[in-house]
Amino acid sequence: MSNKINILFTGATGYLGGSILERLLSHPDFARFQITAIVRSPEKAEKLRTFGIDVAMGSHNDVDLVTDIAAKADVVFTVADCDDLGAARAILEGLKRRHEKTGKKSTLIHTSGTGALIDDANGAFTSDLIYDDIDPDQIETLPDSAIHRHVDLPVVQADREGYVNTYIVLPSVVYGLATGKLIDQGIQNPHSILLPHLIELGVKRGQAGVCGKGQNTWPHVHIDDMADFYIILFDAILAANPAPGHGREGYYFGENGHYLVYDLCKSVAVALAAHGVGTDEPTTFTEEEHKTEFLVPVLGSNAQCKASRGRALGWKPRYSEEDLFGSVKAEVDAILKKN
């Protein structure tokens, strides 16, 4: 790469994206980075510019805009909607144009998720199937119809075609309130997806819930550990000594252990009950809630994995299952205050 590194960043105002961008802002090589973020909010765009970020006003559905910016990028971080195939295709088209024009391969660090691994346990049991990202043959046993695969597979195919090196990061249940300069300036969303949804659903139904018996298992990772991993991967790609796996060998799970889903739902019930919402024992979600609440069926599944590749790169996540459960009270307090 040239001395200046052109970076396209999607999802800059989001929970995980903002946390990764926060780390790029404090990176020792930040002076080399020319970061362009695609942002819809004029107010947030103006604030981002004060941090030295170039902003393209628009959405990820603006195909021409996305393609044109990608065609100038050495590195692309996609941390927005991981199921947006249109945006992914626009980015890949831009990177392909760049390669055809210059002969240079760009780097694409794409965010997917461990939802790709789910089964249909419905809270009844814990599976003995654990996916290891060091084993591409095992990952390729996932059906094409699995969640996120409709985007992940074209990303890997692009690497196979030789015009881009692709790295797919699959965070698990990310938790913890995000902090930092972008939060302080009102640019970044501080909340994850699963816990706030569980909390808000518990408030709505007057009682925290659980899918079936909650005997299924999911991996977890703290927001700070997950954001740190992206920078470790980014640095390893730039150093290329040795080059980290890409393409079919470029899947990277984000996990630091697993938890029983019942235990998390119980923690939410206890925290809500302390605020006068229901009792401290979660009740089973109804059949109707399974149909109308998009996360309930996912909550009842198993998704187990090992982040072998990340740890081989030197990633050392610090936050444990105890921290996950310990974060619930602060999340409940913040959600109830916001609402």
Side-chain angles (χ1 to χ4, degrees), residues 87-101:
R89 283 175 169 164
I91 288 169
L92 291 173
E93 176 61 26
L95 299 179
K96 188 173 186 178
R97 289 181 189 176
R98 179 178 187 265
H99 183 259
E100 290 172 347
K101 183 177 180 179

Side-chain angles (χ1 to χ4, degrees), residues 222-244:
H222 191 275
I223 179 62
D224 290 340
D225 285 336
M226 194 67 249
D228 287 346
F229 170 71
Y230 279 80
I231 303 305
I232 289 171
L233 175 60
F234 174 64
D235 287 344
I237 293 166
L238 294 185
N241 185 30

Side-chain angles (χ1 to χ4, degrees), residues 189 191-209 268 272 277 285 289 293-295 331-332 334-339:
N189 168 31
H191 296 285
S192 61
I193 297 175
L194 179 65
L195 261 178
H197 185 76
L198 274 178
I199 294 162
E200 290 170 351
L201 184 53
V203 172
K204 176 182 174 182
R205 68 201 298 269
Q207 176 63 60
V268 172
L272 284 176
V277 180
F285 288 117
E289 287 169 328
E293 302 294 339
F294 75 101
L295 274 180
E331 197 80 55
V332 166
I335 293 294
L336 292 180
K337 181 179 180 181
K338 182 179 71 170
N339 293 341

Side-chain angles (χ1 to χ4, degrees), residues 11 18 61 69 92 129 134 164 301 339:
N61 295 321
I69 300 172
L92 291 173
L129 177 59
I134 204 71
V164 59
S301 64
N339 293 341

Side-chain angles (χ1 to χ4, degrees), residues 277-295:
V277 180
T279 71
D280 63 2
E281 188 63 36
T283 59
T284 303
F285 288 117
T286 65
E287 186 175 337
E288 181 64 22
E289 287 169 328
H290 273 261
K291 296 177 182 177
T292 59
E293 302 294 339
F294 75 101
L295 274 180

Side-chain angles (χ1 to χ4, degrees), residues 157-200:
Q157 178 60 29
D159 185 285
R160 189 176 291 116
E161 292 176 13
Y163 62 86
V164 59
N165 289 339
T166 65
Y167 307 81
I168 299 179
V169 183
L170 299 91
S172 53
V173 171
V174 188
Y175 69 92
L177 294 171
T179 60
K181 298 186 290 291
L182 301 184
I183 292 290
D184 295 340
Q185 292 297 316
I187 298 170
Q188 178 188 354
N189 168 31
H191 296 285
S192 61
I193 297 175
L194 179 65
L195 261 178
H197 185 76
L198 274 178
I199 294 162
E200 290 170 351

